[in-house]
Amino acid sequence: MPHSLVEIATKEIGYTEGHNNANKYSKALGRPAESWCADFVVWCMKQAGHGKLILNSPSVIAITDWAKKNALQINPKLAREGDIISFDFTHLGKPQHIGIVAKTFDLKKNSVATIEGNTSAGSGSQSNGDCVARKERGLPYIYQVFRPKY
């Protein structure tokens, strides 16, 4: 089941938002143009038939709090394809961004491959960029990994 989620997300790599965060993921969820990393994850989960396995919210904080409340958190080093991952790029104890784990955590590199919406393909804003991109994220930036009950 998680494999189909990653396949769906992979097909979206390269999608770029319009003016002022206008994007198809928020629109499909009936939301206004907004910071859309969470909308991307929720949209992908719905497309994969797993919409009921994640909180339908545009808020990264609300989704991570929901995952914690539902005891879905796992050790980041156990992350595998199809898990949901959030990030704290500021190291202030609150997540700013969320994505989908694309491959099992790499213990040698101490990082994980992800697919994320509303990030930058290069060195721009990682938590509010303008596209869907494949990323490699190091352990120090990982806030939470959770595994939906597939």
Side-chain angles (χ1 to χ4, degrees):
M1 286 186 208
H3 184 66
S4 62
L5 174 65
V6 174
E7 284 179 357
I8 288 163
T10 299
K11 290 178 184 174
E12 298 301 309
I13 292 172
Y15 172 84
T16 303
E17 70 181 32
H19 185 65
N20 288 334
N21 276 334
N23 70 89
K24 68 181 186 179
Y25 311 107
S26 300
K27 185 176 181 179
L29 296 170
R31 298 186 179 125
E34 59 190 357
S35 292
W36 50 277
C37 60
D39 289 349
F40 172 73
V41 172
V42 170
W43 182 88
C44 288
M45 288 287 286
K46 285 179 173 268
Q47 295 300 305
H50 306 306
K52 293 183 179 184
L53 302 182
I54 189 168
L55 180 67
N56 185 352
S57 173
S59 168
V60 175
I61 292 172
I63 292 172
T64 55
D65 287 350
W66 170 86
K68 184 177 181 180
K69 179 182 172 189
N70 286 280
L72 300 174
Q73 293 175 292
I74 61 167
N75 182 321
K77 290 185 177 184
L78 299 176
R80 65 180 187 219
E81 183 178 306
D83 290 341
I84 308 301
I85 187 167
S86 60
F87 305 97
D88 177 2
F89 297 121
T90 62
H91 302 292
L92 295 176
K94 291 190 179 189
Q96 300 91 40
H97 189 63
I98 196 165
I100 298 167
V101 174
K103 291 184 181 176
T104 302
F105 190 89
D106 187 327
L107 292 171
K108 289 181 183 175
K109 292 183 181 177
N110 216 27
S111 65
V112 65
T114 62
I115 301 170
E116 304 165 23
N118 201 29
T119 191
S120 294
S123 61
S125 175
Q126 299 303 296
S127 62
N128 190 15
D130 62 0
C131 70
V132 176
R134 186 179 301 274
K135 305 299 284 190
E136 185 83 18
R137 301 291 190 190
L139 186 61
Y141 297 107
I142 297 173
Y143 179 81
Q144 177 194 82
V145 176
F146 78 86
R147 185 164 297 143
K149 293 185 179 181
Y150 294 115

